[in-house]
Amino acid sequence: MMGFAKRGPGLMALAVFASLAGSAYAATGTRLDIVRLSGDVLREQASVARALEVPEPLNAGDRVHTGGASHVALQVGRTGLATLGPDTTLRIHSLLPPEPPARMQLSKLVLEQGSINIDTRPKDPAQPPSDVRLNAGVLKLRVFGAAAWIRHDDAADEVCLLHGAIEVGTPDGPQRLDEPGSCLLSDGAGTKVRSARQVGSLAARLQLTAFPNDDDLRDEILQRAQAQARPRAAFPTAPRTEQPAAAQPAAATAAAAVTSNTAAPANRESWGIVLGSVSDAQRAAAEAERFSADGLQARVVPAKVSGGTTYRIISGQFATKDAANAMLPSVRARRGLQGAWIVATP
């Protein structure tokens, strides 16, 4: 992993994307679409700035600047939504077109200053989630099928999880947020992760990136952020039918008793590689099918977290942690799976 630059102007964040830049990205024809805007919003192309309009597509290399009382909403991928707050500058670093089996656009963005609310969850469960990589100062994030609020300024860099789970690269090493309402803060004192209870209400942050005079979009963003607070049904499992045990001779019963004492218990812990984690069971099942179609067998395992239930897409079932670790590099070498990690499974 490349080193992180010192805090300063947002352009320093481009370093972590250097190995991915290239003329092929600029020639893909992919774009981000402007959904709506309010106030003075500028589009900068080749150092020339002009007023942004709706509808208007943004391409790789563009910058978007919002004024002191301005907002702009962008559609990322097919169904994702990114909303910029006032006094914000966002650079469209590169856009990678959809590729099977994921069929999603990969958007690489740099938050040079200000605040942004990113929600990459599809409204239609049949659609794949959007995939956004964002650099915000010293933080490097992937928001995939999740929602997060992010800010970058001279004082600190902060990310708050609104829905799902995200991986965050920090100067102190990789961090994972999987409790909606929790926040990660990086400033001169280091990197700190605070629980949802410690953080309290996110209303002030969310209002900063919500359109003040547009109830529809503001309510949509707030409802998406608050959806995680509602209880979710447990992951459905097939009903189990108990079969009566057949009668056995006494000698056979004794032999079976000896065997059961020496064999591993049926519920022995195993190890798997987590490819992703979402809070919707149907979406998790769809993602597992896509991975399996791509030759990476995957299953869904529900897990309890402090914010409710998350559904992990897990590949492999290894008897030891060392065996799972041996397979992990080859999984991480696949596109979009650099954040894969190992977990114990029942």
PDB file of all heavy atoms in Angstrom, residues 292-333:
ATOM      1  N   SER A 292     -20.328 -16.405  -7.065  1.00  0.00           N
ATOM      2  CA  SER A 292     -20.286 -17.816  -7.452  1.00  0.00           C
ATOM      3  C   SER A 292     -20.262 -17.963  -8.971  1.00  0.00           C
ATOM      4  O   SER A 292     -19.573 -18.836  -9.514  1.00  0.00           O
ATOM      5  CB  SER A 292     -21.489 -18.556  -6.862  1.00  0.00           C
ATOM      6  OG  SER A 292     -21.449 -18.549  -5.444  1.00  0.00           O
ATOM      7  N   ALA A 293     -21.010 -17.098  -9.669  1.00  0.00           N
ATOM      8  CA  ALA A 293     -21.012 -17.144 -11.131  1.00  0.00           C
ATOM      9  C   ALA A 293     -19.652 -16.772 -11.704  1.00  0.00           C
ATOM     10  O   ALA A 293     -19.305 -17.175 -12.818  1.00  0.00           O
ATOM     11  CB  ALA A 293     -22.086 -16.204 -11.676  1.00  0.00           C
ATOM     12  N   ASP A 294     -18.884 -16.010 -10.934  1.00  0.00           N
ATOM     13  CA  ASP A 294     -17.551 -15.607 -11.368  1.00  0.00           C
ATOM     14  C   ASP A 294     -16.483 -16.605 -10.927  1.00  0.00           C
ATOM     15  O   ASP A 294     -15.283 -16.329 -11.039  1.00  0.00           O
ATOM     16  CB  ASP A 294     -17.244 -14.207 -10.808  1.00  0.00           C
ATOM     17  CG  ASP A 294     -16.052 -13.561 -11.483  1.00  0.00           C
ATOM     18  OD1 ASP A 294     -15.836 -13.811 -12.688  1.00  0.00           O
ATOM     19  OD2 ASP A 294     -15.327 -12.802 -10.814  1.00  0.00           O
ATOM     20  N   GLY A 295     -16.895 -17.754 -10.402  1.00  0.00           N
ATOM     21  CA  GLY A 295     -15.949 -18.787 -10.020  1.00  0.00           C
ATOM     22  C   GLY A 295     -15.460 -18.715  -8.597  1.00  0.00           C
ATOM     23  O   GLY A 295     -14.557 -19.465  -8.208  1.00  0.00           O
ATOM     24  N   LEU A 296     -16.032 -17.813  -7.784  1.00  0.00           N
ATOM     25  CA  LEU A 296     -15.627 -17.687  -6.386  1.00  0.00           C
ATOM     26  C   LEU A 296     -16.822 -18.083  -5.527  1.00  0.00           C
ATOM     27  O   LEU A 296     -17.695 -17.273  -5.247  1.00  0.00           O
ATOM     28  CB  LEU A 296     -15.198 -16.243  -6.084  1.00  0.00           C
ATOM     29  CG  LEU A 296     -14.491 -15.984  -4.756  1.00  0.00           C
ATOM     30  CD1 LEU A 296     -13.201 -16.781  -4.658  1.00  0.00           C
ATOM     31  CD2 LEU A 296     -14.208 -14.501  -4.593  1.00  0.00           C
ATOM     32  N   GLN A 297     -16.888 -19.350  -5.145  1.00  0.00           N
ATOM     33  CA  GLN A 297     -18.040 -19.856  -4.417  1.00  0.00           C
ATOM     34  C   GLN A 297     -18.249 -19.060  -3.127  1.00  0.00           C
ATOM     35  O   GLN A 297     -17.311 -18.826  -2.368  1.00  0.00           O
ATOM     36  CB  GLN A 297     -17.846 -21.339  -4.094  1.00  0.00           C
ATOM     37  CG  GLN A 297     -17.838 -22.232  -5.329  1.00  0.00           C
ATOM     38  CD  GLN A 297     -19.149 -22.129  -6.098  1.00  0.00           C
ATOM     39  OE1 GLN A 297     -20.230 -22.139  -5.517  1.00  0.00           O
ATOM     40  NE2 GLN A 297     -19.053 -22.027  -7.425  1.00  0.00           N
ATOM     41  N   ALA A 298     -19.480 -18.648  -2.912  1.00  0.00           N
ATOM     42  CA  ALA A 298     -19.770 -17.805  -1.751  1.00  0.00           C
ATOM     43  C   ALA A 298     -21.108 -18.189  -1.145  1.00  0.00           C
ATOM     44  O   ALA A 298     -21.987 -18.724  -1.823  1.00  0.00           O
ATOM     45  CB  ALA A 298     -19.768 -16.329  -2.161  1.00  0.00           C
ATOM     46  N   ARG A 299     -21.249 -17.912   0.150  1.00  0.00           N
ATOM     47  CA  ARG A 299     -22.494 -18.165   0.865  1.00  0.00           C
ATOM     48  C   ARG A 299     -22.752 -16.965   1.776  1.00  0.00           C
ATOM     49  O   ARG A 299     -21.866 -16.131   1.997  1.00  0.00           O
ATOM     50  CB  ARG A 299     -22.396 -19.443   1.686  1.00  0.00           C
ATOM     51  CG  ARG A 299     -21.404 -19.379   2.843  1.00  0.00           C
ATOM     52  CD  ARG A 299     -21.185 -20.739   3.464  1.00  0.00           C
ATOM     53  NE  ARG A 299     -20.381 -20.691   4.679  1.00  0.00           N
ATOM     54  CZ  ARG A 299     -19.061 -20.588   4.706  1.00  0.00           C
ATOM     55  NH1 ARG A 299     -18.390 -20.518   3.560  1.00  0.00           N
ATOM     56  NH2 ARG A 299     -18.407 -20.565   5.848  1.00  0.00           N
ATOM     57  N   VAL A 300     -23.946 -16.875   2.293  1.00  0.00           N
ATOM     58  CA  VAL A 300     -24.326 -15.776   3.174  1.00  0.00           C
ATOM     59  C   VAL A 300     -24.420 -16.279   4.608  1.00  0.00           C
ATOM     60  O   VAL A 300     -25.048 -17.304   4.877  1.00  0.00           O
ATOM     61  CB  VAL A 300     -25.676 -15.167   2.745  1.00  0.00           C
ATOM     62  CG1 VAL A 300     -26.106 -14.084   3.723  1.00  0.00           C
ATOM     63  CG2 VAL A 300     -25.579 -14.605   1.335  1.00  0.00           C
ATOM     64  N   VAL A 301     -23.771 -15.563   5.520  1.00  0.00           N
ATOM     65  CA  VAL A 301     -23.804 -15.911   6.938  1.00  0.00           C
ATOM     66  C   VAL A 301     -24.238 -14.682   7.728  1.00  0.00           C
ATOM     67  O   VAL A 301     -23.544 -13.667   7.716  1.00  0.00           O
ATOM     68  CB  VAL A 301     -22.426 -16.394   7.428  1.00  0.00           C
ATOM     69  CG1 VAL A 301     -22.468 -16.685   8.935  1.00  0.00           C
ATOM     70  CG2 VAL A 301     -21.968 -17.631   6.662  1.00  0.00           C
ATOM     71  N   PRO A 302     -25.388 -14.721   8.403  1.00  0.00           N
ATOM     72  CA  PRO A 302     -25.815 -13.577   9.207  1.00  0.00           C
ATOM     73  C   PRO A 302     -24.959 -13.458  10.464  1.00  0.00           C
ATOM     74  O   PRO A 302     -24.527 -14.456  11.037  1.00  0.00           O
ATOM     75  CB  PRO A 302     -27.273 -13.903   9.550  1.00  0.00           C
ATOM     76  CG  PRO A 302     -27.342 -15.395   9.487  1.00  0.00           C
ATOM     77  CD  PRO A 302     -26.364 -15.832   8.436  1.00  0.00           C
ATOM     78  N   ALA A 303     -24.711 -12.214  10.874  1.00  0.00           N
ATOM     79  CA  ALA A 303     -23.908 -11.975  12.077  1.00  0.00           C
ATOM     80  C   ALA A 303     -24.530 -10.823  12.859  1.00  0.00           C
ATOM     81  O   ALA A 303     -24.980  -9.828  12.271  1.00  0.00           O
ATOM     82  CB  ALA A 303     -22.462 -11.658  11.705  1.00  0.00           C
ATOM     83  N   LYS A 304     -24.578 -10.968  14.154  1.00  0.00           N
ATOM     84  CA  LYS A 304     -25.109  -9.921  15.011  1.00  0.00           C
ATOM     85  C   LYS A 304     -24.042  -8.862  15.273  1.00  0.00           C
ATOM     86  O   LYS A 304     -22.913  -9.181  15.637  1.00  0.00           O
ATOM     87  CB  LYS A 304     -25.584 -10.507  16.353  1.00  0.00           C
ATOM     88  CG  LYS A 304     -26.786 -11.431  16.232  1.00  0.00           C
ATOM     89  CD  LYS A 304     -28.034 -10.656  15.810  1.00  0.00           C
ATOM     90  CE  LYS A 304     -29.257 -11.547  15.773  1.00  0.00           C
ATOM     91  NZ  LYS A 304     -30.457 -10.789  15.324  1.00  0.00           N
ATOM     92  N   VAL A 305     -24.389  -7.590  15.058  1.00  0.00           N
ATOM     93  CA  VAL A 305     -23.521  -6.466  15.393  1.00  0.00           C
ATOM     94  C   VAL A 305     -24.328  -5.532  16.282  1.00  0.00           C
ATOM     95  O   VAL A 305     -25.541  -5.690  16.440  1.00  0.00           O
ATOM     96  CB  VAL A 305     -23.024  -5.735  14.124  1.00  0.00           C
ATOM     97  CG1 VAL A 305     -22.133  -6.643  13.300  1.00  0.00           C
ATOM     98  CG2 VAL A 305     -24.189  -5.239  13.282  1.00  0.00           C
ATOM     99  N   SER A 306     -23.654  -4.537  16.831  1.00  0.00           N
ATOM    100  CA  SER A 306     -24.348  -3.656  17.771  1.00  0.00           C
ATOM    101  C   SER A 306     -25.488  -2.895  17.120  1.00  0.00           C
ATOM    102  O   SER A 306     -26.444  -2.503  17.787  1.00  0.00           O
ATOM    103  CB  SER A 306     -23.344  -2.677  18.391  1.00  0.00           C
ATOM    104  OG  SER A 306     -22.664  -1.962  17.385  1.00  0.00           O
ATOM    105  N   GLY A 307     -25.424  -2.683  15.792  1.00  0.00           N
ATOM    106  CA  GLY A 307     -26.492  -1.965  15.112  1.00  0.00           C
ATOM    107  C   GLY A 307     -27.608  -2.848  14.617  1.00  0.00           C
ATOM    108  O   GLY A 307     -28.557  -2.358  14.002  1.00  0.00           O
ATOM    109  N   GLY A 308     -27.532  -4.164  14.840  1.00  0.00           N
ATOM    110  CA  GLY A 308     -28.567  -5.076  14.364  1.00  0.00           C
ATOM    111  C   GLY A 308     -27.944  -6.324  13.764  1.00  0.00           C
ATOM    112  O   GLY A 308     -27.068  -6.954  14.369  1.00  0.00           O
ATOM    113  N   THR A 309     -28.373  -6.684  12.557  1.00  0.00           N
ATOM    114  CA  THR A 309     -27.868  -7.866  11.873  1.00  0.00           C
ATOM    115  C   THR A 309     -27.211  -7.458  10.572  1.00  0.00           C
ATOM    116  O   THR A 309     -27.758  -6.660   9.814  1.00  0.00           O
ATOM    117  CB  THR A 309     -29.007  -8.861  11.559  1.00  0.00           C
ATOM    118  OG1 THR A 309     -29.623  -9.257  12.784  1.00  0.00           O
ATOM    119  CG2 THR A 309     -28.470 -10.095  10.845  1.00  0.00           C
ATOM    120  N   THR A 310     -26.023  -7.984  10.324  1.00  0.00           N
ATOM    121  CA  THR A 310     -25.361  -7.792   9.043  1.00  0.00           C
ATOM    122  C   THR A 310     -25.227  -9.159   8.372  1.00  0.00           C
ATOM    123  O   THR A 310     -25.168 -10.183   9.047  1.00  0.00           O
ATOM    124  CB  THR A 310     -23.973  -7.136   9.218  1.00  0.00           C
ATOM    125  OG1 THR A 310     -23.438  -6.808   7.939  1.00  0.00           O
ATOM    126  CG2 THR A 310     -22.996  -8.064   9.933  1.00  0.00           C
ATOM    127  N   TYR A 311     -25.220  -9.152   7.043  1.00  0.00           N
ATOM    128  CA  TYR A 311     -25.164 -10.403   6.284  1.00  0.00           C
ATOM    129  C   TYR A 311     -23.839 -10.451   5.527  1.00  0.00           C
ATOM    130  O   TYR A 311     -23.609  -9.662   4.608  1.00  0.00           O
ATOM    131  CB  TYR A 311     -26.361 -10.501   5.336  1.00  0.00           C
ATOM    132  CG  TYR A 311     -27.667 -10.500   6.092  1.00  0.00           C
ATOM    133  CD1 TYR A 311     -28.374  -9.316   6.278  1.00  0.00           C
ATOM    134  CD2 TYR A 311     -28.161 -11.665   6.662  1.00  0.00           C
ATOM    135  CE1 TYR A 311     -29.557  -9.306   6.997  1.00  0.00           C
ATOM    136  CE2 TYR A 311     -29.346 -11.661   7.397  1.00  0.00           C
ATOM    137  CZ  TYR A 311     -30.034 -10.478   7.558  1.00  0.00           C
ATOM    138  OH  TYR A 311     -31.203 -10.464   8.283  1.00  0.00           O
ATOM    139  N   ARG A 312     -22.987 -11.346   5.957  1.00  0.00           N
ATOM    140  CA  ARG A 312     -21.651 -11.446   5.377  1.00  0.00           C
ATOM    141  C   ARG A 312     -21.650 -12.425   4.212  1.00  0.00           C
ATOM    142  O   ARG A 312     -22.219 -13.509   4.303  1.00  0.00           O
ATOM    143  CB  ARG A 312     -20.647 -11.900   6.437  1.00  0.00           C
ATOM    144  CG  ARG A 312     -20.412 -10.860   7.531  1.00  0.00           C
ATOM    145  CD  ARG A 312     -19.602 -11.417   8.687  1.00  0.00           C
ATOM    146  NE  ARG A 312     -19.271 -10.370   9.644  1.00  0.00           N
ATOM    147  CZ  ARG A 312     -18.799 -10.593  10.856  1.00  0.00           C
ATOM    148  NH1 ARG A 312     -18.626 -11.842  11.268  1.00  0.00           N
ATOM    149  NH2 ARG A 312     -18.524  -9.586  11.665  1.00  0.00           N
ATOM    150  N   ILE A 313     -21.009 -12.003   3.121  1.00  0.00           N
ATOM    151  CA  ILE A 313     -20.815 -12.887   1.971  1.00  0.00           C
ATOM    152  C   ILE A 313     -19.465 -13.546   2.163  1.00  0.00           C
ATOM    153  O   ILE A 313     -18.429 -12.870   2.135  1.00  0.00           O
ATOM    154  CB  ILE A 313     -20.882 -12.119   0.647  1.00  0.00           C
ATOM    155  CG1 ILE A 313     -22.237 -11.423   0.507  1.00  0.00           C
ATOM    156  CG2 ILE A 313     -20.667 -13.051  -0.532  1.00  0.00           C
ATOM    157  CD1 ILE A 313     -22.226  -9.967   0.776  1.00  0.00           C
ATOM    158  N   ILE A 314     -19.452 -14.859   2.405  1.00  0.00           N
ATOM    159  CA  ILE A 314     -18.243 -15.569   2.815  1.00  0.00           C
ATOM    160  C   ILE A 314     -17.889 -16.634   1.793  1.00  0.00           C
ATOM    161  O   ILE A 314     -18.750 -17.374   1.312  1.00  0.00           O
ATOM    162  CB  ILE A 314     -18.431 -16.195   4.211  1.00  0.00           C
ATOM    163  CG1 ILE A 314     -18.621 -15.090   5.252  1.00  0.00           C
ATOM    164  CG2 ILE A 314     -17.262 -17.095   4.591  1.00  0.00           C
ATOM    165  CD1 ILE A 314     -18.809 -15.591   6.665  1.00  0.00           C
ATOM    166  N   SER A 315     -16.608 -16.712   1.484  1.00  0.00           N
ATOM    167  CA  SER A 315     -16.090 -17.734   0.579  1.00  0.00           C
ATOM    168  C   SER A 315     -15.194 -18.693   1.356  1.00  0.00           C
ATOM    169  O   SER A 315     -14.402 -18.277   2.203  1.00  0.00           O
ATOM    170  CB  SER A 315     -15.287 -17.082  -0.550  1.00  0.00           C
ATOM    171  OG  SER A 315     -14.760 -18.063  -1.418  1.00  0.00           O
ATOM    172  N   GLY A 316     -15.334 -19.978   1.053  1.00  0.00           N
ATOM    173  CA  GLY A 316     -14.478 -20.979   1.676  1.00  0.00           C
ATOM    174  C   GLY A 316     -14.941 -21.393   3.064  1.00  0.00           C
ATOM    175  O   GLY A 316     -15.659 -20.668   3.746  1.00  0.00           O
ATOM    176  N   GLN A 317     -14.509 -22.566   3.460  1.00  0.00           N
ATOM    177  CA  GLN A 317     -14.771 -23.085   4.806  1.00  0.00           C
ATOM    178  C   GLN A 317     -13.542 -23.893   5.203  1.00  0.00           C
ATOM    179  O   GLN A 317     -13.427 -25.082   4.917  1.00  0.00           O
ATOM    180  CB  GLN A 317     -16.042 -23.938   4.830  1.00  0.00           C
ATOM    181  CG  GLN A 317     -16.541 -24.224   6.238  1.00  0.00           C
ATOM    182  CD  GLN A 317     -17.980 -24.687   6.244  1.00  0.00           C
ATOM    183  OE1 GLN A 317     -18.563 -24.925   5.203  1.00  0.00           O
ATOM    184  NE2 GLN A 317     -18.569 -24.813   7.426  1.00  0.00           N
ATOM    185  N   PHE A 318     -12.614 -23.218   5.874  1.00  0.00           N
ATOM    186  CA  PHE A 318     -11.302 -23.782   6.164  1.00  0.00           C
ATOM    187  C   PHE A 318     -11.254 -24.317   7.594  1.00  0.00           C
ATOM    188  O   PHE A 318     -11.825 -23.721   8.513  1.00  0.00           O
ATOM    189  CB  PHE A 318     -10.213 -22.725   5.971  1.00  0.00           C
ATOM    190  CG  PHE A 318     -10.221 -22.097   4.609  1.00  0.00           C
ATOM    191  CD1 PHE A 318     -10.941 -20.934   4.359  1.00  0.00           C
ATOM    192  CD2 PHE A 318      -9.515 -22.667   3.556  1.00  0.00           C
ATOM    193  CE1 PHE A 318     -10.958 -20.357   3.102  1.00  0.00           C
ATOM    194  CE2 PHE A 318      -9.521 -22.097   2.299  1.00  0.00           C
ATOM    195  CZ  PHE A 318     -10.246 -20.938   2.063  1.00  0.00           C
ATOM    196  N   ALA A 319     -10.547 -25.414   7.755  1.00  0.00           N
ATOM    197  CA  ALA A 319     -10.460 -26.038   9.078  1.00  0.00           C
ATOM    198  C   ALA A 319      -9.599 -25.233  10.036  1.00  0.00           C
ATOM    199  O   ALA A 319      -9.801 -25.280  11.250  1.00  0.00           O
ATOM    200  CB  ALA A 319      -9.906 -27.459   8.945  1.00  0.00           C
ATOM    201  N   THR A 320      -8.617 -24.495   9.496  1.00  0.00           N
ATOM    202  CA  THR A 320      -7.723 -23.708  10.345  1.00  0.00           C
ATOM    203  C   THR A 320      -7.617 -22.283   9.826  1.00  0.00           C
ATOM    204  O   THR A 320      -7.851 -22.011   8.638  1.00  0.00           O
ATOM    205  CB  THR A 320      -6.312 -24.321  10.390  1.00  0.00           C
ATOM    206  OG1 THR A 320      -5.721 -24.231   9.085  1.00  0.00           O
ATOM    207  CG2 THR A 320      -6.363 -25.776  10.833  1.00  0.00           C
ATOM    208  N   LYS A 321      -7.236 -21.390  10.706  1.00  0.00           N
ATOM    209  CA  LYS A 321      -7.049 -19.997  10.318  1.00  0.00           C
ATOM    210  C   LYS A 321      -5.866 -19.852   9.364  1.00  0.00           C
ATOM    211  O   LYS A 321      -5.880 -19.023   8.447  1.00  0.00           O
ATOM    212  CB  LYS A 321      -6.823 -19.133  11.565  1.00  0.00           C
ATOM    213  CG  LYS A 321      -6.806 -17.638  11.283  1.00  0.00           C
ATOM    214  CD  LYS A 321      -6.705 -16.835  12.573  1.00  0.00           C
ATOM    215  CE  LYS A 321      -6.761 -15.339  12.292  1.00  0.00           C
ATOM    216  NZ  LYS A 321      -6.681 -14.553  13.556  1.00  0.00           N
ATOM    217  N   ASP A 322      -4.828 -20.673   9.565  1.00  0.00           N
ATOM    218  CA  ASP A 322      -3.668 -20.627   8.666  1.00  0.00           C
ATOM    219  C   ASP A 322      -4.065 -20.983   7.238  1.00  0.00           C
ATOM    220  O   ASP A 322      -3.571 -20.380   6.266  1.00  0.00           O
ATOM    221  CB  ASP A 322      -2.576 -21.584   9.166  1.00  0.00           C
ATOM    222  CG  ASP A 322      -1.894 -21.074  10.418  1.00  0.00           C
ATOM    223  OD1 ASP A 322      -2.029 -19.865  10.710  1.00  0.00           O
ATOM    224  OD2 ASP A 322      -1.239 -21.877  11.107  1.00  0.00           O
ATOM    225  N   ALA A 323      -4.971 -21.944   7.073  1.00  0.00           N
ATOM    226  CA  ALA A 323      -5.415 -22.328   5.735  1.00  0.00           C
ATOM    227  C   ALA A 323      -6.169 -21.188   5.069  1.00  0.00           C
ATOM    228  O   ALA A 323      -6.009 -20.932   3.867  1.00  0.00           O
ATOM    229  CB  ALA A 323      -6.292 -23.570   5.816  1.00  0.00           C
ATOM    230  N   ALA A 324      -6.981 -20.488   5.837  1.00  0.00           N
ATOM    231  CA  ALA A 324      -7.704 -19.337   5.288  1.00  0.00           C
ATOM    232  C   ALA A 324      -6.737 -18.218   4.925  1.00  0.00           C
ATOM    233  O   ALA A 324      -6.868 -17.565   3.879  1.00  0.00           O
ATOM    234  CB  ALA A 324      -8.738 -18.850   6.299  1.00  0.00           C
ATOM    235  N   ASN A 325      -5.735 -17.996   5.776  1.00  0.00           N
ATOM    236  CA  ASN A 325      -4.729 -16.961   5.503  1.00  0.00           C
ATOM    237  C   ASN A 325      -3.952 -17.259   4.234  1.00  0.00           C
ATOM    238  O   ASN A 325      -3.563 -16.350   3.500  1.00  0.00           O
ATOM    239  CB  ASN A 325      -3.763 -16.831   6.678  1.00  0.00           C
ATOM    240  CG  ASN A 325      -4.205 -15.779   7.671  1.00  0.00           C
ATOM    241  OD1 ASN A 325      -4.646 -14.700   7.282  1.00  0.00           O
ATOM    242  ND2 ASN A 325      -4.117 -16.092   8.950  1.00  0.00           N
ATOM    243  N   ALA A 326      -3.722 -18.523   3.966  1.00  0.00           N
ATOM    244  CA  ALA A 326      -2.974 -18.899   2.770  1.00  0.00           C
ATOM    245  C   ALA A 326      -3.757 -18.561   1.501  1.00  0.00           C
ATOM    246  O   ALA A 326      -3.172 -18.253   0.460  1.00  0.00           O
ATOM    247  CB  ALA A 326      -2.647 -20.382   2.807  1.00  0.00           C
ATOM    248  N   MET A 327      -5.086 -18.605   1.578  1.00  0.00           N
ATOM    249  CA  MET A 327      -5.920 -18.317   0.417  1.00  0.00           C
ATOM    250  C   MET A 327      -6.236 -16.828   0.283  1.00  0.00           C
ATOM    251  O   MET A 327      -6.574 -16.348  -0.808  1.00  0.00           O
ATOM    252  CB  MET A 327      -7.228 -19.114   0.530  1.00  0.00           C
ATOM    253  CG  MET A 327      -8.173 -18.965  -0.656  1.00  0.00           C
ATOM    254  SD  MET A 327      -7.448 -19.546  -2.207  1.00  0.00           S
ATOM    255  CE  MET A 327      -7.300 -21.321  -1.826  1.00  0.00           C
ATOM    256  N   LEU A 328      -6.108 -16.069   1.361  1.00  0.00           N
ATOM    257  CA  LEU A 328      -6.519 -14.668   1.379  1.00  0.00           C
ATOM    258  C   LEU A 328      -5.839 -13.817   0.295  1.00  0.00           C
ATOM    259  O   LEU A 328      -6.520 -13.022  -0.368  1.00  0.00           O
ATOM    260  CB  LEU A 328      -6.281 -14.075   2.767  1.00  0.00           C
ATOM    261  CG  LEU A 328      -6.785 -12.651   2.983  1.00  0.00           C
ATOM    262  CD1 LEU A 328      -8.299 -12.568   2.779  1.00  0.00           C
ATOM    263  CD2 LEU A 328      -6.425 -12.176   4.401  1.00  0.00           C
ATOM    264  N   PRO A 329      -4.515 -13.915   0.053  1.00  0.00           N
ATOM    265  CA  PRO A 329      -3.888 -13.065  -0.968  1.00  0.00           C
ATOM    266  C   PRO A 329      -4.483 -13.238  -2.357  1.00  0.00           C
ATOM    267  O   PRO A 329      -4.651 -12.260  -3.094  1.00  0.00           O
ATOM    268  CB  PRO A 329      -2.418 -13.494  -0.918  1.00  0.00           C
ATOM    269  CG  PRO A 329      -2.226 -14.033   0.456  1.00  0.00           C
ATOM    270  CD  PRO A 329      -3.511 -14.707   0.787  1.00  0.00           C
ATOM    271  N   SER A 330      -4.824 -14.473  -2.729  1.00  0.00           N
ATOM    272  CA  SER A 330      -5.382 -14.685  -4.063  1.00  0.00           C
ATOM    273  C   SER A 330      -6.780 -14.089  -4.172  1.00  0.00           C
ATOM    274  O   SER A 330      -7.176 -13.627  -5.251  1.00  0.00           O
ATOM    275  CB  SER A 330      -5.412 -16.179  -4.398  1.00  0.00           C
ATOM    276  OG  SER A 330      -6.279 -16.876  -3.512  1.00  0.00           O
ATOM    277  N   VAL A 331      -7.537 -14.080  -3.084  1.00  0.00           N
ATOM    278  CA  VAL A 331      -8.858 -13.453  -3.105  1.00  0.00           C
ATOM    279  C   VAL A 331      -8.721 -11.948  -3.197  1.00  0.00           C
ATOM    280  O   VAL A 331      -9.401 -11.284  -3.982  1.00  0.00           O
ATOM    281  CB  VAL A 331      -9.663 -13.855  -1.846  1.00  0.00           C
ATOM    282  CG1 VAL A 331     -10.977 -13.074  -1.770  1.00  0.00           C
ATOM    283  CG2 VAL A 331      -9.940 -15.350  -1.853  1.00  0.00           C
ATOM    284  N   ARG A 332      -7.806 -11.377  -2.414  1.00  0.00           N
ATOM    285  CA  ARG A 332      -7.605  -9.930  -2.444  1.00  0.00           C
ATOM    286  C   ARG A 332      -7.050  -9.438  -3.777  1.00  0.00           C
ATOM    287  O   ARG A 332      -7.170  -8.257  -4.104  1.00  0.00           O
ATOM    288  CB  ARG A 332      -6.659  -9.514  -1.314  1.00  0.00           C
ATOM    289  CG  ARG A 332      -7.314  -9.535   0.062  1.00  0.00           C
ATOM    290  CD  ARG A 332      -6.338  -9.117   1.143  1.00  0.00           C
ATOM    291  NE  ARG A 332      -7.007  -8.922   2.431  1.00  0.00           N
ATOM    292  CZ  ARG A 332      -6.374  -8.684   3.572  1.00  0.00           C
ATOM    293  NH1 ARG A 332      -5.043  -8.620   3.598  1.00  0.00           N
ATOM    294  NH2 ARG A 332      -7.056  -8.500   4.686  1.00  0.00           N
ATOM    295  N   ALA A 333      -6.454 -10.331  -4.543  1.00  0.00           N
ATOM    296  CA  ALA A 333      -5.909  -9.939  -5.839  1.00  0.00           C
ATOM    297  C   ALA A 333      -7.012  -9.680  -6.864  1.00  0.00           C
ATOM    298  O   ALA A 333      -6.778  -9.048  -7.891  1.00  0.00           O
ATOM    299  CB  ALA A 333      -4.964 -11.021  -6.369  1.00  0.00           C
TER     300      ALA A 333
END
